[in-house]
């Protein structure tokens, strides 16, 4: 019986890994969206029936967006499984045949090192000076 569970576990892990790798590739490359593009992508996905209105609201609140196994925003893209261009405009026409892959977080671009903005962000104290240390309660 233990051998059966081991085999089932290995099969599940074997199927999960390729999709996680594909999702990671989409989020970091071919379908890397900015915070300004997130709501447009989600509105488009809802309009075209890929996600519900409730899922759209949740994704928008978390600055996440829907990605697809066979479509991406940068088209043509570097991977061979990106067959369709997936828009970020809610008014764009629907694309049929897309397969939901998962969700990604919007990319945030950090200010360049050495810039005044980066210096100011680094100089912000980790704890507000006006708030006593014990105000947060026990740790």
């Amino acid at each position: 019986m233990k051998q059966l569970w081991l085999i089932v576990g290995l099969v599940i892990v074997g199927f999960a890994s390729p999709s996680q790798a594909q999702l990671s590739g989409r989020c970091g490359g071919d379908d890397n969206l900015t915070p300004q593009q997130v709501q447009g992508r989600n509105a488009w996905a809802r309009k075209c029936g890929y996600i519900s209105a409730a899922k759209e609201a949740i994704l928008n609140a978390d600055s996440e967006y829907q990605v697809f196994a066979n479509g991406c925003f940068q088209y043509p893209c570097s991977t061979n499984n990106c067959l369709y261009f997936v828009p970020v405009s809610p008014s764009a026409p629907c694309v049929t045949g897309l397969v939901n892959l998962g969700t990604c977080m919007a990319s945030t671009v950090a200010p360049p090192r050495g810039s005044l903005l980066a210096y100011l962000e680094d100089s912000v104290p980790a704890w507000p000076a006006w708030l006593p240390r014990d105000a947060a309660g026990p740790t």
Side-chain angles (χ1 to χ4, degrees), residues 73-109:
F73 184 61
Q74 296 176 9
Y75 185 81
C77 63
S78 59
T79 61
N80 59 5
N81 57 357
C82 182
L83 302 174
Y84 303 102
F85 170 75
V86 182
V88 295
S89 170
S91 62
C94 292
V95 176
T96 58
L98 292 174
V99 176
N100 284 352
L101 179 60
T103 60
C104 298
M105 291 281 296
S107 66
T108 55
V109 178

Side-chain angles (χ1 to χ4, degrees), residues 39-96:
Q39 291 187 0
R41 164 64 65 81
N42 292 333
W44 177 87
R46 178 193 37 80
K47 175 186 90 168
C48 297
Y50 290 108
I51 61 173
S52 67
K55 174 119 185 203
E56 176 188 13
I58 291 168
L59 292 175
N60 287 341
D62 292 338
S63 196
E64 294 182 355
Y65 56 96
Q66 184 67 47
V67 292
F68 303 90
N70 55 347
C72 53
F73 184 61
Q74 296 176 9
Y75 185 81
C77 63
S78 59
T79 61
N80 59 5
N81 57 357
C82 182
L83 302 174
Y84 303 102
F85 170 75
V86 182
V88 295
S89 170
S91 62
C94 292
V95 176
T96 58

